[in-house]
Amino acid sequence: VEPTSVVDEFGADPVRYYLLREISWGQDGDWGREKFILRNNADLANNFGNLAQRSLSMIAKNFGCEMPLRQDGSAVDAKLIAETIAAISRMEEAMVTEQIHEAAAELIGALSNANLYFADQAPWGLKSDLARMGAVLATTADVLRRCAIAALPFVPASAAKILDLLAVSADQRLLQHALDPDLIVAAGTPLPAPEPVFRKFETAKAN
């Protein structure tokens, strides 16, 4: 496989992510075009990208592109944040031992958990309770921020774009900022208009 043409077609981030996720560091690995596309679509487009686009679009529509307020005392919100921090801590441990594919798996696990939270809390159905809708969206945004920081080694350009959409300053993008339970994007922070980050690719259709 000639890698330059693959990167030219799909972009560096998706190819970089696939190689780090699918191949144990220092070992032989398997490349297949369809396998690559399925991994990209499942992990990046449908999981990471869809969560970002849906939540940030709802913030833009319902809160005028300003970060809503978190709710103190919400056990379900606090549980999600704690689980995300724990997953990123496991990512750090895996990176230290060069189990990079395991670190990537922890990242996607944290994002999958956040997608389940988002579906269970159903913020689109909370139009009569904007405070709770805002809290769900703010919690989701906080998870996105933490996961995007943790994703910088894997998809640097895409993760940086998500952090831009969350108005995270350049000096707040270190792993310590993802692990700090008390650090959040302040309510009322202006956010840029949301836009898609990850592309979804089509597998070849049989004739």
Side-chain angles (χ1 to χ4, degrees):
V1 176
E2 203 290 302
T4 304
S5 62
V6 177
V7 172
D8 287 344
E9 180 178 1
F10 296 109
D13 273 10
V15 175
R16 178 189 179 106
Y17 173 77
Y18 176 86
L19 296 176
L20 293 173
R21 174 68 181 93
E22 288 291 329
I23 301 172
S24 298
W25 187 249
Q27 304 299 314
D28 291 339
D30 180 40
W31 167 268
R33 183 184 180 88
E34 184 168 344
K35 185 177 181 181
F36 160 77
I37 289 174
L38 291 174
R39 172 62 73 184
N40 172 85
N41 291 353
D43 288 5
L44 300 183
N46 293 341
N47 198 337
F48 205 168
N50 192 44
L51 182 65
Q53 182 66 16
R54 292 176 73 193
S55 58
L56 293 175
S57 293
M58 288 192 68
I59 291 174
K61 179 179 179 181
N62 296 281
F63 297 91
C65 281
E66 291 186 357
M67 182 65 71
L69 182 67
R70 291 262 302 274
Q71 278 184 336
D72 292 334
S74 170
V76 66
D77 298 355
K79 180 173 181 286
L80 178 66
I81 299 301
E83 289 172 346
T84 302
I85 292 172
I88 295 172
S89 295
R90 292 192 297 271
M91 285 183 69
E92 184 179 25
E93 293 170 4
M95 294 289 274
V96 168
T97 57
E98 297 184 349
Q99 300 297 309
I100 299 175
H101 63 295
E102 295 292 346
E106 289 286 356
L107 173 68
I108 298 306
L111 289 163
S112 297
N113 195 34
N115 270 294
L116 288 174
Y117 162 87
F118 196 77
D120 288 344
Q121 298 301 308
W124 53 88
L126 296 171
K127 293 181 180 178
S128 61
D129 188 356
L130 284 180
R132 182 58 192 155
M133 178 196 286
V136 171
L137 295 173
T139 299
T140 304
D142 189 56
V143 170
L144 282 169
R145 178 187 64 83
R146 296 175 190 278
C147 287
I149 292 172
L152 283 167
F154 299 90
V155 284
S158 303
K161 189 172 182 179
I162 289 176
L163 291 169
D164 290 342
L165 293 173
L166 291 166
V168 178
S169 62
D171 62 350
Q172 296 286 310
R173 299 185 178 191
L174 299 177
L175 191 61
Q176 68 197 54
H177 302 124
L179 293 170
D180 185 343
D182 298 319
L183 184 63
I184 61 171
V185 176
T189 299
L191 304 181
E195 55 184 87
V197 175
F198 295 103
R199 292 165 57 199
K200 191 171 184 177
F201 303 117
E202 297 294 332
T203 56
K205 296 181 180 179
N207 294 327

